[in-house]
Amino acid sequence: GAVVSQHPSRVICKSGTSVKIECRSLDFQATTMFWYRQFPKKSLMLMATSNEGSKATYEQGVEKDKFLINHASLTLSTLTVTSAHPEDSSFYICSAPGLVQETQYFGPGTRLLVL
Amino acid sequence: GQQVMQIPQYQHVQEGEDFTTYCNSSTTLSNIQWYKQRPGGHPVFLIQLVKSGEVKKQKRLTFQFGEAKKNSSLHITATQTTDVGTYFCAGRGSTLGRLYFGRGTQLTVWP
């Protein structure tokens, strides 16, 4: 099946620094990718929809200046957490829609810890 | 706004017992999907239901979509330790709309 990769899988950073997370579709093209955030033992919260060649669509309450999204190509979307703070620590997961049954293929996720 | 409620939040069963998780939407859904997330892992697509009253089976797993397309259930017969994980439902309000995830049901299976 389709594979989505994420890099890095884990990152620890100091408060105030910026962190970039990459999401790649490995064997298919994705004009749209989704970025989710998941807190421990909680559900997935959609943060934004990344659109290749145009601006990302952010969900209500998500700061677009804090969570910068760039969909540079048909196989790559990046999420940059700017000026990270401890409350930004979370599990960030991207997904890309497949061709069959409107499914979504999820990346393995990135665990961010901000000290 | 659209919401998808899922119960129970946690379920502990003895291996061999059955397990069911339920999802309910405040509005009619275009379709509903089910995902499984193993501890420390990412969600993996299980199935999609589209038609009113649809029932689909995958080995010991039975998925149902309600007649009104507002609720759905996942039933596992004779659970095994490999069934451990969190099961999420996710519904769409429209065919191309975003997915709204339920909070998930965390299943623990005691050997």
Side-chain angles (χ1 to χ4, degrees):
Chain A
V3 177
V4 174
S5 70
Q6 263 183 261
H7 177 80
S9 58
R10 293 176 182 269
V11 57
I12 301 173
C13 69
K14 293 182 179 180
S15 186
T17 60
S18 294
V19 175
K20 179 186 282 189
I21 303 170
E22 293 185 350
C23 177
R24 293 181 184 272
S25 55
L26 295 184
D27 54 1
F28 65 106
Q29 294 181 335
T31 56
T32 301
M33 290 185 177
F34 302 94
W35 286 97
Y36 293 85
R37 185 174 179 177
Q38 187 178 34
F39 292 100
K41 298 186 178 182
K42 297 292 184 182
S43 188
L44 294 153
M45 184 192 79
L46 180 65
M47 298 175 65
T49 302
S50 173
N51 304 299
E52 190 272 332
S54 64
K55 292 182 179 179
T57 305
Y58 290 81
E59 295 299 308
Q60 190 174 7
V62 178
E63 298 177 59
K64 56 184 68 176
D65 294 332
K66 178 159 187 67
F67 299 99
L68 300 178
I69 291 174
N70 187 333
H71 201 134
S73 73
L74 289 172
T75 59
L76 173 64
S77 175
T78 60
L79 167 67
T80 301
V81 183
T82 63
S83 186
H85 292 284
E87 57 265 30
D88 298 325
S89 300
S90 191
F91 189 47
Y92 293 87
I93 314 176
C94 68
S95 73
L99 298 176
V100 179
Q101 292 191 35
E102 299 177 37
T103 184
Q104 287 195 55
Y105 295 101
F106 283 86
T110 298
R111 295 196 181 277
L112 171 63
L113 176 61
V114 184
L115 302 177
Chain B
Q2 179 137 30
Q3 290 186 8
V4 175
M5 280 72 72
Q6 187 174 356
I7 58 169
Q9 187 174 356
Y10 303 97
Q11 187 77 57
H12 307 276
V13 300
Q14 195 82 32
E15 189 173 22
E17 293 182 340
D18 293 354
F19 158 76
T20 305
T21 173
Y22 302 89
C23 271
N24 190 56
S25 169
S26 55
T27 58
T28 302
L29 298 171
S30 170
N31 56 63
I32 194 161
Q33 298 179 352
W34 286 90
Y35 292 81
K36 178 182 179 181
Q37 185 175 19
R38 293 181 183 275
H42 61 280
V44 175
F45 174 80
L46 293 178
I47 208 161
Q48 174 172 278
L49 304 172
V50 178
K51 300 177 183 177
S52 169
E54 188 170 15
V55 178
K56 287 188 176 180
K57 292 190 176 185
Q58 288 180 351
K59 297 182 180 179
R60 295 178 293 104
L61 278 61
T62 302
F63 304 84
Q64 290 188 320
F65 201 8
E67 294 290 340
K69 300 183 73 172
K70 284 187 174 183
N71 55 69
S72 181
S73 65
L74 157 59
H75 179 82
I76 302 179
T77 305
T79 55
Q80 300 175 359
T81 54
T82 53
D83 295 326
V84 165
T86 300
Y87 292 84
F88 292 98
C89 62
R92 287 186 200 275
S94 59
T95 303
L96 298 179
R98 56 163 287 189
L99 279 173
Y100 289 86
F101 280 83
R103 66 185 305 175
T105 297
Q106 185 176 327
L107 172 64
T108 304
V109 180
W110 304 110

